[in-house]
Amino acid sequence: MSLSSSLYTGTSGLKNMGNGMQVVGNNIANTNTVGFKSGRSTFSDTLYENVATQAGTAQMGRGMAVGSVTNNFDQGSFESTGNTTDLSIGGDGFFIVRQNGTENDYYTRAGNFYFDASGQLVNQEGYIVQGWNLDSETGEDVGAIGDLVLEAFTSAPKASTEITAITNLDADAISQAVVLSNVWDSSADTYISSSSYEYQTTVSVYDSLGSSHDITIYYDKKSGTEWEYVVTCNPEEDKRNLVQETNSLGLLARGNITFSESSGDILDLTMEEFTGRLGNFTANGVNSLDDIEYNIIDYESMPNDGYGFEFEYDGSSWDFVDTDGDNVITAADKPDSYNTATIIYSDATTIQISLDGEDEVDLEIQLSQAAVATDSLGFDINAEEDLHIQGIEGLSYSGDTANDNTSLAINDPGVMTHDAEGLGIVWNPTTETWYWSNPEVADADGTLVGDVTFDGVDQTAATVVNVTSATAFDMVSDDVTLMVDYRTNEWDWNMPIKEDDFADEVFDFSPTNNPTLSIITVGSQGAVASLDAAGNPTTITLAWDGVSWVPSAGGGQTQIVIDATNSDDSQVQFYLWEADGSGTTSAGASVIRYTFASSLSTVGGDSLTFSIDPTPPEEYPEAVLSTSGATTSGIAIDWNNDATMDMQLTPSANGTTTLAAGLTAVFDIDPNVPPEEYPDATLTGDQTKVVIDLDDSGSGSDDDIVFSFEDDLKYGTSTDPYDDRSVIHFDILGSTAWTSMADSDLTTDGYFSFIADFLGGEYGSTEMDIKLDLGSSYDGNNWINDSLSTTQYSKSSSTTYQDADGYTAGDLEGVDVASDGTMTGSYSNGQLIPLFRVGLAKFYNNYGLYAEGGNLFSETNESGQAITNKPGENGLGTISPNSLEMSNVDIADQLVKMIEIQRGYQGNSKTITTVDEMLQTVINMK
């Protein structure tokens, strides 16, 4: 090899040692570059030259070259920063960034990112970080990987959908209100008095515009383990269409909570939704109840209750249902209070109704789905005043029920759907039975008077007129049979004999020998007065002649027969009955006895006199038979002797119509019928309480109304059954504005929900369906309590935990990044909303990446395609926020490499100078 070749060999060493020094210098220069990956140069010898030698052919080197320059992708150390968008990767992977306006993706370990003025998350060169947008509710990824751009620096408000109220209710509390919802009055300064409930708790919710509203839940104890609650809002904020212009504004829902006696945990929950002026909704067809919205336009057109609105669609329009089947829609097919109502316009999705018969729309109905033929719907109208009240008013007590002896409990107000006035119930101490006392209702249905006969002639069609309310008198209901007699142009009682029937008694004995009257047997014949020509009771005489008794009467039809076997000087016993021509002395007779304190004189001359003046039946001791002229055509009865004719009974044309002396009338009185508004109601009880089951549910929940008595009522044989009788009068206030929610109305996770509307959009467009979580959910069979649940313990009522979702509008105050790359926005409204997830990429061959500068790499054929995924998955590292990955350059190692290269450079330079000296020697040879 020539000397010139040797010169070039040294030159290659100098050149490539310089290249190696460039790599080392670049590493040292980027010692503090974020995410920098150090380079490493390697050297290799070059192509060898063959030369001839003594031993044969040999190879001689021609210098060296740079074999490769590669990057060291070992992880660098992390430096903490105060910037949450400074990110580092713990493990394998690269951040993905894209050049704005292109589809060119680049990869970097430098995570010094920030949001630019456009809301784009970018690196220092303005390249946009890539990742996934997140669903703000669930935090799940949305769509494909793409630019991370914060489009809004504010958080839109979110309407509340759930409230949680966990309380402890004092087991030792007592009931403050008969029905808690009844004491609400939105027209009052204080909507509900603090003395009407045991405890309250308030939770704030948000409407769709972000305004805050208070939801207050009131609790009151009903019994040992049962509580009732009402859900309310501020009446001034209640914009529900169906409750406007009422004193029910603010009432949203109510329900009962039943606790375990032993553990104090929830066993059962109920809820009723308050619907307002309309209620008792029905729907059959393609639209469910939730698909139909009602909008009241004119509240003044709804002054009264109106039960039973029914409409049917014929395929082209809606009309009232033909309830009477006459194929013509008339007033009879409409509720009584709205029999002039008309449909102004209708189609498959709309019904416009005029309720007062005028040509203006008062109520409009919108259906979500187009109706088809035979679809139907219905509802009730509830009058404005106290439409939320289901309870009892107008209470009055008499007898043993008075003087604060009676307490009232209404256990199921939801069954009180109709108003009912003037109701009465009577406790008869003799029969030990409770009866309804509703004569007007009994008269209306034809059951008040039964089995009417005039002198034995059946008068089933007898006419009853002028039956007054039970509040005017207390009619018992043991199916009393009354007998009256027509004598000398007036009626008198013809009831079974009683001691009170004996009047004007005179005893012609010594004062110490006055007899004692006793009635041995009450016969079927009534006690009829012995009357003289003027119609006055005449005297009956029983004379003792020293051997036997001799009766005599001053007239009338009363027959007296001495029972000789049981009559002597110590007593006189006789039969007393109305002469009926039977000829049988004892037939239907009553047995009467006078007993003397001592034996009478055997001489005779002793006597006693008396008259018979029949008295009213003991069930109605104050009743009188009217003496007015009307009695010539019938029987008039004043039940409580207040100069008012309460009932008149007139014989019908098919029987006796001529009233002659001696005519006897017999008839039954039975006012024991339930209210006409509650025909299935039942009445049970004893001297300790009386229970009314209004709907005759027969499901065990039959104690709708309970009157309990602190001291037992009188019972058993009474000396005065009328005075010992106990009576309760009351009115029922009913409403169909409360709708009981069934298991099918529960949310999918087993909670009841209620409706609120704070914005007042038409047809329920701004209504909020809010779930109520009391710490217990229904699994289809039972209520399952959470670890934190409402309880009933013997300690003061208190709120354990409360919360609500939803929030007002807020401004972005910062972001937080989790290890899985989730970037969450922190807003001034206290909300943490998922925004993005930063994506990562990895390559099968990192050494094949092409360094683009600016801490960026691009993929090549040698690196393979990028594999993208979430941080922490598929072998990718996790994200560390508030930190940056520093350069992985080891400065000490680089300085050593610098020395090595420097020495190599020096050696190569010596090669060149040596060859130069050799060439000089050759030149000097000349």
Side-chain angles (χ1 to χ4, degrees):
M1 187 174 84
S2 63
L3 286 176
S4 59
S5 296
S6 298
L7 185 62
Y8 285 115
T9 298
T11 302
S12 69
L14 287 177
K15 177 181 178 181
N16 291 306
M17 286 298 167
N19 290 335
M21 182 61 71
Q22 183 177 348
V23 173
V24 171
N26 185 59
N27 288 340
I28 295 174
N30 286 283
T31 299
N32 294 319
T33 300
V34 175
F36 179 77
K37 300 303 178 184
S38 62
R40 183 183 67 176
S41 60
T42 59
F43 301 107
S44 61
D45 53 358
T46 57
L47 182 65
Y48 281 74
E49 181 181 359
N50 294 327
V51 296
T53 65
Q54 184 67 36
T57 302
Q59 289 182 311
M60 298 181 64
R62 300 186 61 185
M64 52 85 71
V66 176
S68 66
V69 177
T70 59
N71 291 102
N72 175 13
F73 286 96
D74 291 344
Q75 183 170 296
S77 61
F78 291 170
E79 178 184 4
S80 296
T81 69
N83 186 3
T84 55
T85 57
D86 284 344
L87 310 178
S88 56
I89 303 172
D92 293 338
F94 297 86
F95 297 111
I96 309 167
V97 294
R98 176 171 294 178
Q99 188 175 11
N100 195 7
T102 72
E103 296 296 323
N104 299 326
D105 288 338
Y106 299 94
Y107 308 91
T108 181
R109 295 280 294 192
N112 46 339
F113 305 133
Y114 63 93
F115 287 104
D116 65 12
S118 300
Q120 301 175 128
L121 185 64
V122 298
N123 69 355
Q124 301 301 310
E125 285 70 34
Y127 288 20
I128 305 172
V129 180
Q130 302 296 292
W132 293 270
N133 289 310
L134 299 181
D135 185 282
S136 61
E137 298 288 338
T138 65
E140 297 296 325
D141 297 348
V142 177
I145 194 169
D147 296 348
L148 298 186
V149 181
L150 187 61
E151 296 179 351
F153 286 85
T154 59
S155 166
K158 175 181 176 295
S160 298
T161 61
E162 176 182 359
I163 64 173
T164 301
I166 309 300
T167 59
N168 176 70
L169 301 174
D170 189 356
D172 298 325
I174 60 175
S175 177
Q176 304 295 325
V178 176
V179 178
L180 181 57
S181 58
N182 286 355
V183 297
W184 178 268
D185 185 356
S186 63
S187 63
D189 293 335
T190 302
Y191 309 131
I192 183 169
S193 170
S194 60
S195 62
S196 298
Y197 60 88
E198 160 63 18
Y199 186 67
Q200 73 170 58
T201 188
T202 301
V203 185
S204 291
V205 298
Y206 298 89
D207 61 32
S208 59
L209 299 181
S211 297
S212 174
H213 308 274
D214 286 344
I215 297 293
T216 301
I217 306 173
Y218 296 92
Y219 303 88
D220 189 45
K221 194 172 188 179
K222 291 179 67 69
S223 65
T225 59
E226 189 171 5
W227 289 70
E228 58 183 332
Y229 67 90
V230 292
V231 183
T232 69
C233 67
N234 186 335
E236 296 178 359
E237 298 176 348
D238 189 357
K239 305 302 181 184
R240 291 173 297 162
N241 175 267
L242 299 188
V243 299
Q244 299 305 304
E245 300 185 15
T246 72
N247 64 349
S248 305
L249 281 163
L251 271 179
L252 303 176
R254 72 181 181 190
N256 291 339
I257 311 172
T258 303
F259 294 97
S260 166
E261 291 183 358
S262 57
S263 68
D265 296 328
I266 292 177
L267 292 180
D268 189 33
L269 281 171
T270 66
M271 179 179 280
E272 293 176 76
E273 178 188 2
F274 183 65
T275 58
R277 296 298 302 275
L278 304 182
N280 193 27
F281 300 103
T282 60
N284 294 289
V286 297
N287 289 277
S288 67
L289 293 177
D290 293 335
D291 294 327
I292 305 174
E293 294 291 343
Y294 299 82
N295 190 52
I296 300 173
I297 298 172
D298 184 5
Y299 296 94
E300 294 183 357
S301 66
M302 309 168 67
N304 302 309
D305 289 336
Y307 294 147
F309 280 88
E310 295 181 84
F311 302 93
E312 188 173 35
Y313 188 65
D314 64 4
S316 61
S317 63
W318 290 86
D319 204 348
F320 287 89
V321 172
D322 181 19
T323 56
D324 56 12
D326 61 359
N327 297 321
V328 179
I329 301 301
T330 64
D333 301 310
K334 306 170 186 179
D336 293 340
S337 300
Y338 297 91
N339 54 22
T340 61
T342 58
I343 296 178
I344 293 180
Y345 170 81
S346 69
D347 57 29
T349 59
T350 303
I351 309 174
Q352 294 179 336
I353 304 170
S354 170
L355 295 171
D356 53 13
E358 298 181 2
D359 194 21
E360 294 181 355
V361 178
D362 300 321
L363 174 66
E364 187 167 81
I365 305 172
Q366 288 287 335
L367 290 75
S368 298
Q369 310 293 326
V372 299
T374 73
D375 281 5
S376 63
L377 61 86
F379 57 87
D380 294 339
I381 290 178
N382 293 290
E384 170 188 342
E385 188 67 22
D386 297 330
L387 68 94
H388 64 280
I389 293 182
Q390 291 178 309
I392 286 178
E393 70 171 9
L395 273 167
S396 66
Y397 302 104
S398 61
D400 288 345
T401 60
N403 301 320
D404 298 325
N405 189 43
T406 304
S407 61
L408 168 65
I410 299 177
N411 296 314
D412 188 4
V415 300
M416 298 181 180
T417 54
H418 292 67
D419 292 342
E421 298 181 350
L423 306 184
I425 56 176
V426 180
W427 167 250
N428 189 322
T430 302
T431 60
E432 299 182 21
T433 310
W434 281 95
Y435 302 104
W436 293 104
S437 182
N438 294 318
E440 287 182 311
V441 180
D443 179 47
D445 64 17
T447 62
L448 177 62
V449 179
D451 299 328
V452 184
T453 62
F454 283 86
D455 265 0
V457 179
D458 184 17
Q459 298 289 310
T460 55
T463 303
V464 180
V465 297
N466 197 31
V467 176
T468 63
S469 170
T471 56
F473 55 90
D474 307 320
M475 297 190 74
V476 295
S477 146
D478 33 5
D479 198 15
V480 178
T481 298
L482 302 182
M483 294 183 291
V484 294
D485 213 52
Y486 190 60
R487 308 286 181 178
T488 317
N489 295 323
E490 68 177 44
W491 292 94
D492 201 356
W493 297 105
N494 185 15
M495 302 301 298
I497 195 72
K498 303 183 291 295
E499 290 187 17
D500 291 343
D501 296 336
F502 290 77
D504 301 324
E505 294 174 300
V506 176
F507 311 116
D508 187 14
F509 310 117
S510 62
T512 59
N513 209 17
N514 288 343
T516 300
L517 172 66
S518 58
I519 299 176
I520 306 304
T521 302
V522 177
S524 60
Q525 290 287 353
V528 180
S530 257
L531 304 178
D532 58 20
N536 299 314
T538 59
T539 300
I540 298 173
T541 301
L542 300 177
W544 170 248
D545 63 5
V547 177
S548 62
W549 290 91
V550 179
S552 64
Q557 295 185 2
T558 300
Q559 293 287 336
I560 301 172
V561 176
I562 300 298
D563 180 1
T565 303
N566 294 294
S567 297
D568 53 26
D569 59 357
S570 63
Q571 66 180 19
V572 58
Q573 185 166 301
F574 54 92
Y575 299 106
L576 180 66
W577 84 102
E578 179 183 357
D580 60 0
S582 67
T584 304
T585 302
S586 61
S590 297
V591 179
I592 313 299
R593 177 188 297 164
Y594 279 101
T595 304
F596 307 104
S598 61
S599 298
L600 300 178
S601 169
T602 59
V603 176
D606 293 329
S607 67
L608 62 87
T609 61
F610 58 89
S611 62
I612 302 297
D613 188 6
T615 57
E618 61 183 13
E619 293 85 0
Y620 302 105
E622 296 181 6
V624 296
L625 299 176
S626 175
T627 58
S628 66
T631 60
T632 59
S633 60
I635 306 165
I637 302 175
D638 177 1
W639 291 104
N640 59 348
N641 196 14
D642 64 353
T644 300
M645 185 182 69
D646 298 308
M647 187 182 81
Q648 181 171 324
L649 185 65
T650 303
S652 61
N654 68 332
T656 299
T657 57
T658 302
L659 303 181
L663 180 68
T664 300
V666 180
F667 55 96
D668 296 334
I669 292 293
D670 187 2
N672 184 30
V673 293
E676 61 180 332
E677 297 84 0
Y678 301 93
D680 297 324
T682 61
L683 186 66
T684 57
D686 53 26
Q687 68 274 13
T688 63
K689 70 177 181 180
V690 57
V691 177
I692 302 175
D693 179 10
L694 285 178
D695 59 353
D696 191 21
S697 59
S699 61
S701 301
D702 55 358
D703 54 347
D704 300 332
I705 303 172
V706 179
F707 294 98
S708 301
F709 315 112
E710 184 174 349
D711 296 326
D712 291 355
L713 306 182
K714 292 184 180 69
Y715 62 98
T717 302
S718 174
T719 58
D720 193 338
Y722 186 84
D723 287 343
D724 290 344
R725 187 178 305 160
S726 294
V727 183
I728 302 175
H729 291 134
F730 59 94
D731 300 331
I732 292 178
L733 291 180
S735 172
T736 60
W738 293 98
T739 299
S740 180
M741 303 183 72
D743 294 345
S744 58
D745 297 314
L746 292 164
T747 60
T748 55
D749 46 0
Y751 297 96
F752 286 118
S753 61
F754 58 90
I755 300 294
D757 189 350
F758 302 110
L759 300 177
E762 286 190 344
Y763 304 109
S765 59
T766 55
E767 288 182 350
M768 301 165 57
D769 196 357
I770 303 177
K771 180 173 68 177
L772 177 61
D773 180 4
L774 299 180
S776 188
S777 59
Y778 191 68
D779 67 355
N781 296 300
N782 300 291
W783 286 90
I784 306 301
N785 294 308
D786 301 332
S787 57
L788 191 61
S789 177
T790 294
T791 55
Q792 180 190 247
Y793 296 148
S794 293
K795 65 175 185 177
S796 298
S797 298
S798 61
T799 299
T800 306
Y801 173 78
Q802 63 180 30
D803 189 27
D805 64 352
Y807 42 82
T808 187
D811 297 320
L812 182 65
E813 294 181 331
V815 294
D816 296 314
V817 184
S819 61
D820 64 352
T822 300
M823 185 171 290
T824 303
S826 176
Y827 292 83
S828 60
N829 56 6
Q831 299 303 309
L832 299 176
I833 302 178
L835 301 175
F836 316 114
R837 189 192 309 278
V838 176
L840 295 182
K842 71 174 183 177
F843 298 90
Y844 288 119
N845 178 21
N846 288 344
Y847 299 106
L849 292 172
Y850 183 80
E852 297 283 354
N855 290 330
L856 301 176
F857 297 94
S858 60
E859 67 179 43
T860 66
N861 288 333
E862 293 183 7
S863 68
Q865 291 185 340
I867 302 172
T868 60
N869 215 319
K870 302 174 184 177
E873 295 186 5
N874 197 29
L876 291 169
T878 57
I879 301 297
S880 295
N882 299 290
S883 65
L884 293 173
E885 182 182 0
M886 303 308 294
S887 170
N888 66 352
V889 173
D890 186 339
I891 189 66
D893 181 63
Q894 296 302 313
L895 290 175
V896 170
K897 288 185 177 295
M898 183 183 295
I899 294 172
E900 291 177 352
I901 293 173
Q902 180 184 11
R903 295 306 179 202
Y905 192 91
Q906 289 176 340
N908 279 284
S909 66
K910 287 296 184 181
T911 299
I912 294 174
T913 57
T914 300
V915 172
D916 179 55
E917 290 177 356
M918 294 174 67
L919 287 173
Q920 185 65 43
T921 301
V922 171
I923 293 172
N924 290 338
M925 289 175 61
K926 184 179 177 182

